[in-house]
Amino acid sequence: RRAAFALKPDAEDDGPDVDALIDAFRNALACDIIRDVASASASTTEAFESLLLLTADATPTTVKTSRDGAQDAQYDAFGGNLPDDVRDLIFARLSARDAAMLACTCREFRALVRTWRRNAKNLDLPRANSPVRANADVGMYYASRVGSMMRAYPNVQRVSFKKLAKALKPPVEADGDDEDNSRALVAVLMAISANNASHSVEAIDFDGCGEWLSEFDVVHVVEICVEGFPHLSSLAWPRARRLTGKGLSRMLTLCGDFIRELRLPGCVSLDEDAIKLALDAARGVRVLDVTGCSGLKQLRLDAHEGARLEIIKAVNCATMTTCIIRRTAGSNALRTINVADCAALRTLQVQSNSVETLNAAGCRAMETFNCFAPQCETLLLNRCAAFRAMTDEINTVRTKLTSIRTLTLDSCKSLTSSGFDDLLRMCASTLEELSAEGCFSIDRAVITAPNLVKCTFNGSFALQNVCVSSTKCVSFVARACKDLTEVRFERGAPALDAFDVRNSNNLRRVIGVRDRRLKRKDITGCPASIEFIENYFS
C-alpha cells in the first residue's frame, strides 16, 4: 500500500521534491506540467501552491460520465446522507485555497468542487503562503495566480481584496511614487478582468487597500475598474484615509452613471460636502455607507439629493451632531436609515413616506427626535440615554409613526412616562413587539395595542402599573421591577404562554391571567401573597 503523501523539507541546494508533487497531483495534472511548474519554483511549498491553483483548470478525466455525473459524485462523496442545503452551507464557508485542497483528495470531491465553483458568486482572493522572492515582481506573481483562480470561478459576481491587500502593499521606499504604489493592485485587477470571460463581476471590495493608497491611486484604480468591468455596480473603499471630497468626486465622475452601491466606511477625510458631491455625481446610487467617517459633522440630505437612495448607513460617526433626511411626498425609494452608535448625535429628523426601518440605537446624546414615517415598521431607540420624548413638530414636519410593529426603547434612562405614552398611542394600532428594559423614569405603562404579542420591561425600577389591552399577548417579562405592584390584562390573556416577573418584590396582583394555563411561569422573588385574579374572563 502506497504511503500517504507528505512534503519533505527543502534542502539548501536541492529544488522542489518532484516525486512527491507527482504523487500528489498525478490524478489532476499531467506529469510534464507538474515537472515544468516544479522547475520554475524555488521550493516545494511554492510549487505546491502553484499546482493547487492549476488544479482549478484541470479537467478530470476519470470522473463519472453519466448525464447526472456531478450529482452522482456528490452522493458518492458524502455517502448519500448529507442534505443539499447542509452541503451548500459547508461549501459556502470554504475559502478558495480550502476548495483547491479539497479537490485534490478524490475524484468525487473534485467533481463536486468544480460544480460548486461554477455556481459561486463571492470570491475572497487568498494570499499565497509561500513568500515572494526578493527579485520577483509582486504584481505579476499574484496576477498569474489570481488569473488562474478566476478561470475556475466563471460566474463570480463579488471579488474581495481583504486577504490579499496586505501582500500588494508596496515597500516603504516606494511610497513616494504614486505609480509604484498601485502597480501590483492594477496588475491583479487586469488579471481578474482578462480571465473573467463572462464579465460577471459586479462588485469589488478594496478592503485593506485604501489604507496605503493615495487619493491619486484610488482614482487610477477606479479608472482601471471602469475599463475592465462593464457590469460593475458596487464599489467599496473601506478605510481610504487619504480620500477627500475632491478625489471622490473625480472617482464618481468616471463611474457614477452605473454605480448602485457606494461603501466608504472609515474614510475619515470625508465631510458633508464630499457626500453631497458624491450623490450629485452618482445619481443612481441605491446604497450609501459612510460608517465610521469621523470627519462627518452633520448629514443633511434634502429631497433632491440622493433621490434614489434605498439604504443610508452612517453608523458610529463619532462627531456627527445633526442628521436630517427629507424625501418628497412622491418618493418611494428610501427603505432603511441606520445611524446607530453616533454618540454625539443630538438631532435626528426624518421625513419619508417609504422608510420601513429606522435605527438610532446607541445615540446617547440624542435629545430631539422628529420623524414623519407613516410606513415605518421597526423603530430602534435603545441606549438613547438623553432621549425624553418625541418632538411633535420641527419646520412644519409633524411626527407620525402609525405603522410601527417593533419598538425597542431599552436603556432610555431619561424617557418620561408622558413621552412613553405618546409613542405607544401613536403606534397602538399596529404594535406587536415592545421592549423597554432599563427605562428608569417610566412609572406607568398603558398599552392599548390590540395586536401586541411580546412585552418586556426588565429593570424598569420606577414602573408601578402595567395595563395591557391585547388578547394576543404570548410573552410578558418584567424582571427586577422593584416598584411594580400590579399587572392588568384588561381583556384577558388567553394566548399568554410565558409570564416572568422574577425579583419584582412588590408585585401584589396579576389580573386577567389564568394561572393554571401558563406553560412558563417564574415568580421567584415575588411576595408569597401574590394573587392571580381571573376576573370575569371566560
Side-chain angles (χ1 to χ4, degrees), residues 16 18-19 21-22 30-41 47 51:
V18 179
D19 292 336
L21 291 170
I22 290 176
C31 294
D32 292 341
I33 295 177
I34 298 174
R35 291 191 183 95
D36 291 342
V37 172
S39 63
S41 303
L51 290 169

Side-chain angles (χ1 to χ4, degrees), residues 28-231:
L29 298 171
C31 294
D32 292 341
I33 295 177
I34 298 174
R35 291 191 183 95
D36 291 342
V37 172
S39 63
S41 303
S43 65
T44 303
T45 304
E46 182 179 343
F48 186 77
E49 295 286 344
S50 300
L51 290 169
L52 278 179
L53 293 175
L54 287 177
T55 57
D57 299 323
T59 302
T61 57
T62 57
V63 182
K64 297 180 180 180
T65 57
S66 63
R67 180 178 299 178
D68 299 327
Q71 186 174 1
D72 293 341
Q74 79 183 34
Y75 281 108
D76 289 344
F78 291 109
N81 297 320
L82 194 65
D84 291 351
D85 54 345
V86 177
R87 183 201 67 229
D88 294 341
L89 183 62
I90 293 172
F91 274 83
R93 294 176 180 271
L94 290 179
S95 66
R97 185 185 310 283
D98 294 335
M101 296 180 71
L102 181 63
C104 293
T105 57
C106 65
R107 287 172 292 179
E108 289 80 7
F109 273 133
R110 186 163 67 250
L112 189 56
V113 168
R114 286 176 61 83
T115 301
W116 171 74
R117 282 171 171 161
R118 285 196 295 269
N119 298 325
K121 302 301 181 184
N122 299 320
L123 177 61
D124 292 336
L125 301 177
R127 181 184 181 185
N129 288 336
S130 57
V132 184
R133 286 176 288 182
N135 58 347
D137 187 328
V138 175
M140 295 306 298
Y141 178 84
Y142 283 107
S144 61
R145 284 154 176 77
V146 170
S148 176
M149 188 179 301
M150 286 300 299
R151 290 194 293 274
Y153 292 82
N155 298 310
V156 69
Q157 295 179 354
R158 174 188 170 274
V159 176
S160 173
F161 283 82
K162 184 175 182 178
K163 297 178 180 178
L164 186 61
K166 188 175 181 180
L168 299 178
K169 182 179 180 180
V172 177
E173 56 269 18
D175 283 351
D177 189 341
D178 286 336
E179 186 177 353
D180 284 342
N181 280 355
S182 59
R183 180 177 297 168
L185 178 58
V186 168
V188 173
L189 280 173
M190 294 179 69
I192 294 173
S193 174
N195 292 279
N196 183 226
S198 62
H199 300 295
S200 60
V201 175
E202 299 177 356
I204 303 179
D205 185 355
F206 291 98
D207 192 359
C209 299
E211 298 179 9
W212 44 269
L213 286 176
S214 68
E215 187 172 41
F216 174 84
D217 294 332
V218 172
V219 176
H220 177 54
V221 169
V222 171
E223 186 177 2
I224 299 298
C225 292
V226 172
E227 295 174 358
F229 303 99
H231 297 145

Side-chain angles (χ1 to χ4, degrees), residues 275-296:
I275 301 302
K276 290 189 174 185
L277 286 173
L279 292 176
D280 186 56
R283 301 190 175 219
V285 168
R286 266 65 167 177
V287 178
L288 175 65
D289 185 356
V290 291
T291 296
C293 293
S294 56
L296 194 62

Side-chain angles (χ1 to χ4, degrees), residues 370-425:
N370 174 234
C371 181
F372 178 86
Q375 300 300 320
C376 184
E377 296 183 356
T378 302
L379 178 61
L380 307 178
L381 297 175
N382 43 307
R383 295 180 286 115
C384 294
F387 176 59
R388 296 177 60 84
M390 295 184 301
T391 305
D392 290 337
E393 184 175 348
I394 299 179
N395 297 331
T396 70
V397 178
R398 293 188 61 85
T399 295
K400 185 177 182 180
L401 296 164
T402 54
S403 300
I404 298 293
R405 296 180 181 274
T406 302
L407 178 61
T408 304
L409 301 167
D410 298 344
S411 299
C412 290
K413 301 177 181 179
S414 302
L415 180 63
T416 62
S417 295
S418 59
F420 183 58
D421 289 341
D422 291 342
L423 270 171
L424 292 179
R425 192 179 305 111

Side-chain angles (χ1 to χ4, degrees), residues 67 73 122 189 206 218 245 249 366 399 422 431 483 485 506 534 537:
R67 180 178 299 178
N122 299 320
L189 280 173
F206 291 98
V218 172
S249 179
M366 188 175 70
T399 295
D422 291 342
L431 186 63
D483 290 343
T485 59
N506 285 315
E534 293 186 12
F537 307 115

